[in-house]
Amino acid sequence: MAQQGQFTVVENGSITTPKGFRAGGLHCGLKKTKRNDLGVIVCEVPAAAAGVYTLNAFQAAPLKVTQESVAAEGKLQVMLVNSGNANACTGQQGEDDARTMRAEAAKAFGVPDHYVGVTSTGVIGELLKMDRVVPGIEGLPAVVSADEEGGEQFSQAILTTDLVKKVVCVELTVDGKTVHIAGAAKGSGMIHPNMATMLGFMTTDAAISSANLQKLLNRSTDMTFNMITVDGDTSTNDMVVTMASGLAGNEPLDAEHADWAAFATAFQYVGEYLAKAIARDGEGATKLIEVTVANAASEDAARAIAKTVIGSSLVKSACFGADANWGRIIAAVGRAGVPVNVDTVDIRLGDISVLEQSRPVPFDDPKATEYLKGELVQIHVNLNMGGATATAWGCDLTYDYVRINAAYRT
């Protein structure tokens, strides 16, 4: 285990590490390969639930169904996901299919329909092959388990163009009880702040109400998942869902609880870890880019500028080419739509200062080029206007990104 302040990162932890959770996955035939394409998380008790969803106007049918389920009691017991087909822009048939998936999962695991959430990821505009999905759902109870293998099979089931799984687990002490928070996510392309082709699943055994879990998820998402971009495209299907079993035995957490701050910090760490893993695994990416905007007039301004810089195709291309062209960064700062003092901006690439008080300074170009060739590029923008700070994450824009997306359906 690795200590991180008030919490510890659990090595080989998974979405099933918190008490009460099982998971699994299988291949039902939605993908052309034999990789898992249907997965599920199951809690042994109705879990407090919270979710955040894409802001794309064309919200996919499964998201609507999941929101209906959570709205009923603020609880979920089963979270079902398929990859290989987004079930988006599929009209009434798509909604009917999403509700059929919910009903079949409820029957398979012996819970009410409204205790089931559903989500999908993959190609937009194609109807689900329900003759494959339904038998797959019927087979899920036989493959779920509470061990690491169950989490592994689930993590495989949610992938599309991802190259790696994104999984993390932490533990901390609340009221003297050991509490776990775990997460699994998928996402590689069509990623942009305010959600994207990204699915995130978080589990915890902490006792916390749905309302307090929702507040925590909203705040954490604004600082993590909503601060990443790969390509500027916001998808139809994205969501992050959190389930809390309450089986750790702590007193219910709220903002007045003595351990609330520690729990919130650990919760945000899980979200940030997954968000950065998604950015690092961007389609065709060779490096993670981190943009920190400091001393802004407000947090909103800092976030807007950080997201504009990280989303700039020119900045991303310059990082790919290891070109220390700070002009692309300052141009992005200036078009972020928030007031800036054009005479006080400092910019650094790692520890290499390239701009001070909005004026270029001499720097070692070969050293900067070598720095930009690394797997992590940190861009620091100091506005010298106030005390607010924000960080955003993304990746470089490469030839492979175009190749992958030019042939996505084939």
Side-chain angles (χ1 to χ4, degrees):
M1 294 188 181
Q3 190 70 34
Q4 296 278 341
Q6 294 175 293
F7 62 90
T8 302
V9 178
V10 180
E11 294 180 15
N12 300 318
S14 81
I15 200 77
T16 60
T17 301
K19 293 178 182 176
F21 289 97
R22 295 175 291 153
L26 52 77
H27 176 73
C28 73
L30 294 179
K31 289 180 179 175
K32 296 176 182 177
T33 66
K34 287 295 183 181
R35 289 173 58 184
N36 288 356
D37 51 19
L38 190 66
V40 69
I41 300 170
V42 184
C43 189
E44 65 183 55
V45 297
V52 290
Y53 310 91
T54 184
L55 297 181
N56 194 302
F58 292 95
Q59 195 175 85
L63 275 68
K64 299 175 185 178
V65 171
T66 298
Q67 289 173 81
E68 289 174 7
S69 290
V70 174
E73 286 187 45
K75 296 182 182 294
L76 289 176
Q77 200 164 352
V78 176
M79 190 68 221
L80 179 70
V81 56
N82 75 268
S83 55
N85 185 310
N87 192 14
C89 299
T90 46
Q92 186 60 50
Q93 185 61 55
E95 293 193 23
D96 292 345
D97 289 344
R99 288 192 170 84
T100 295
M101 290 176 67
R102 178 173 65 176
E104 290 295 331
K107 183 169 65 174
F109 290 97
V111 302
D113 283 13
H114 66 277
Y115 279 175
V116 178
V118 180
T119 189
S120 304
T121 182
V123 177
I124 294 171
E126 295 183 3
L127 292 174
L128 279 166
K129 294 180 174 66
M130 295 302 290
D131 60 331
R132 302 180 184 181
V133 172
V134 171
I137 293 173
E138 293 171 347
L140 283 172
V143 301
V144 296
S145 68
D147 57 18
E148 185 184 340
E149 180 62 19
E152 167 72 18
Q153 294 303 315
F154 173 80
S155 296
Q156 290 288 351
I158 65 179
L159 305 181
T160 50
T161 57
D162 306 63
L163 296 178
V164 298
K165 297 181 277 78
K166 292 95 175 166
V167 180
V168 65
C169 180
V170 303
E171 71 173 42
L172 70 157
T173 301
V174 176
D175 291 330
K177 309 290 186 180
T178 298
V179 167
H180 292 94
I181 308 169
K186 65 83 50 179
S188 186
M190 219 176 181
I191 302 292
H192 189 59
N194 296 324
M195 310 298 288
T197 298
M198 183 201 73
L199 301 180
F201 307 92
M202 297 174 66
T203 59
T204 180
D205 42 22
I208 181 172
S209 70
S210 176
N212 284 320
L213 190 61
Q214 187 67 60
K215 291 176 184 177
L216 185 60
L217 181 61
N218 288 347
R219 174 61 178 168
S220 175
T221 300
D222 281 344
M223 303 298 290
T224 59
F225 294 110
N226 282 348
M227 294 300 289
I228 60 174
T229 187
V230 169
D231 48 22
D233 280 307
T234 300
S235 178
T236 54
N237 284 63
D238 306 331
M239 69 164 75
V240 178
V241 170
T242 304
M243 300 167 67
S245 71
L247 296 178
N250 62 287
E251 291 297 314
L253 282 155
D254 59 28
E256 305 304 315
H257 194 291
D259 294 320
W260 174 259
F263 183 78
T265 298
F267 190 92
Q268 182 162 321
Y269 173 87
V270 171
E272 182 176 314
Y273 180 96
L274 295 174
K276 290 166 70 173
I278 290 170
R280 189 184 297 274
D281 193 32
E283 289 172 342
T286 66
K287 60 195 71 179
L288 175 69
I289 305 172
E290 180 179 273
V291 176
T292 298
V293 175
N295 296 314
S298 68
E299 185 177 293
D300 285 345
R303 292 177 63 222
I305 292 171
K307 290 196 288 185
T308 302
V309 174
I310 202 68
S312 166
S313 294
L314 291 177
V315 172
K316 290 154 66 67
S317 299
C319 289
F320 172 62
D323 179 12
N325 186 349
W326 56 263
R328 295 179 173 182
I329 300 170
I330 196 72
V333 171
R335 66 176 174 83
V338 296
V340 295
N341 186 333
V342 297
D343 296 319
T344 63
V345 178
D346 302 332
I347 295 177
R348 286 187 292 113
L349 304 176
D351 62 359
I352 303 169
S353 180
V354 295
L355 195 75
E356 294 179 2
Q357 296 296 292
S358 300
R359 297 292 183 270
V361 295
F363 65 93
D364 187 331
D365 213 335
K367 180 181 177 182
T369 297
E370 195 61 30
Y371 173 73
L372 291 172
K373 289 179 180 179
E375 293 183 358
L376 172 63
V377 173
Q378 294 176 312
I379 298 172
H380 304 273
V381 178
N382 187 346
L383 300 179
N384 292 300
M385 293 179 65
T389 299
T391 301
W393 299 274
C395 61
D396 53 342
L397 182 59
T398 70
Y399 306 125
D400 272 351
Y401 175 83
V402 177
R403 178 186 59 78
I404 291 166
N405 284 281
Y408 184 74
R409 293 200 307 153
T410 55

